[in-house]
Amino acid sequence: MRKYQPHIIKEGGVEFHLGEFRGGLVLYDFKKMLIYLDAKGKLLFGKKFKIYNEDHPILYKLFVYYIRDEASCKKLGIDLGKGLLLSGPVGCGKTSLMKLMRHLVPHQKPYELIPSRNIVFGFNNIGYRIIEQYGDHRFYCFDDLGVEPIGRHFGKDCNVLGEILLSRHELLLGHKVKTHATTNLNAKELEERYGNRVRSRMRELFNLVAFDKGSGDKRK
């Protein structure tokens, strides 16, 4: 039987050691995790993908959250019982990072990353069933939260993601089902988009991890 080795990930015949397995615990190494993330990013997004030095503070916060480093999370004010809201300017790399991070800990329950606008398009076609669909016990990351259009089904408007976030809040409280999201908007803009009630639930749903406002567009 193969020894349990959560700190070793194989990609294309290459073994990446993210740390050491000692005494039943993985002692992760930040630099080794960066090396793996860079390699995995190139596999997923092409050879032009790179890890930027200025993003290391953000990556460190994401790393300690995903590996469930309780001591480091406590120092950074990160609650492991909540999901992540990764915010920052357009093109700073939020979506790519959320796609990448789930590969760091393949032994943990994965989440599905879904564009928020696609959920609204689904609502426009099938109505309120789409809200029920995302009120299940699966883990999701809602991408580009806050810039999706208002939903409309049979002439009735609906703030679809706002309703889904309320459902996800109930799931977190009752069943510890976490939700993640990415957004280009700041706290004030999110409140304007979803209202104070949803915004207050979002504070309980998410840890806010924010890129600097001056982060450049990496897609250029």
Side-chain angles (χ1 to χ4, degrees):
M1 185 180 292
R2 189 187 170 192
K3 188 178 178 182
Y4 179 56
Q5 296 178 309
H7 63 301
I8 299 176
I9 300 178
K10 286 188 176 181
E11 295 286 354
V14 178
E15 280 193 354
F16 291 89
H17 292 242
L18 307 187
E20 297 180 23
F21 197 48
R22 199 185 302 166
L25 295 173
V26 178
L27 304 177
Y28 285 96
D29 184 307
F30 182 59
K31 290 182 180 178
K32 291 179 180 178
M33 293 169 82
L34 287 173
I35 290 169
Y36 168 70
L37 210 65
D38 184 68
K40 185 65 176 178
K42 285 178 169 59
L43 285 173
L44 289 177
F45 310 120
K47 292 182 180 179
K48 289 185 178 179
F49 177 85
K50 65 177 287 189
I51 299 293
Y52 292 82
N53 290 338
E54 61 264 31
D55 293 340
H56 284 189
I58 289 284
L59 287 166
Y60 182 75
K61 289 180 182 179
L62 296 176
F63 283 174
V64 297
Y65 175 85
Y66 278 94
I67 66 175
R68 302 189 64 80
D69 182 339
E70 293 183 12
S72 296
C73 282
K74 189 174 182 181
K75 287 180 183 177
L76 293 167
I78 295 172
D79 186 341
L80 286 170
K82 298 180 182 181
L84 293 172
L85 177 62
L86 187 58
S87 73
V90 173
C92 68
K94 301 181 298 296
T95 303
S96 296
L97 284 183
M98 291 305 286
K99 286 180 178 178
L100 269 174
M101 284 294 165
R102 55 190 175 182
H103 295 284
L104 270 178
V105 282
H107 54 288
Q108 292 185 20
K109 188 173 181 178
Y111 53 83
E112 187 178 353
L113 191 141
I114 304 170
S116 296
R117 63 198 304 269
N118 289 6
I119 298 172
V120 174
F121 295 154
F123 174 86
N124 294 345
N125 285 322
I126 67 173
Y128 287 87
R129 275 189 297 146
I130 203 80
I131 295 174
E132 295 173 12
Q133 178 181 323
Y134 289 102
D136 63 13
H137 286 217
R138 287 183 290 178
F139 286 19
Y140 296 106
C141 177
F142 301 127
D143 193 33
D144 276 339
L145 186 69
V147 296
E148 75 281 354
I150 290 291
R152 171 165 283 210
H153 185 68
F154 284 113
K156 289 187 176 181
D157 289 349
C158 178
N159 194 326
V160 180
L161 268 296
E163 293 297 324
I164 289 173
L165 289 173
L166 291 174
S167 297
R168 300 299 297 182
H169 177 260
E170 292 176 9
L171 280 170
L172 178 69
L173 295 181
H175 303 281
K176 310 298 182 186
V177 178
K178 287 188 282 190
T179 305
H180 306 303
T182 72
T183 186
N184 303 330
L185 306 185
N186 59 34
K188 184 180 179 181
E189 290 168 331
L190 285 169
E191 187 166 332
E192 289 173 355
R193 180 70 176 79
Y194 296 114
N196 183 59
R197 181 172 173 235
V198 174
R199 174 64 185 139
S200 66
R201 301 296 190 278
M202 288 176 72
R203 292 189 188 99
E204 297 175 15
L205 265 175
F206 300 121
N207 294 287
L208 176 62
V209 178
F211 279 87
D212 189 271
K213 290 179 182 177
S215 295
D217 191 338
K218 298 180 177 69
R219 299 174 301 184
K220 292 181 179 178

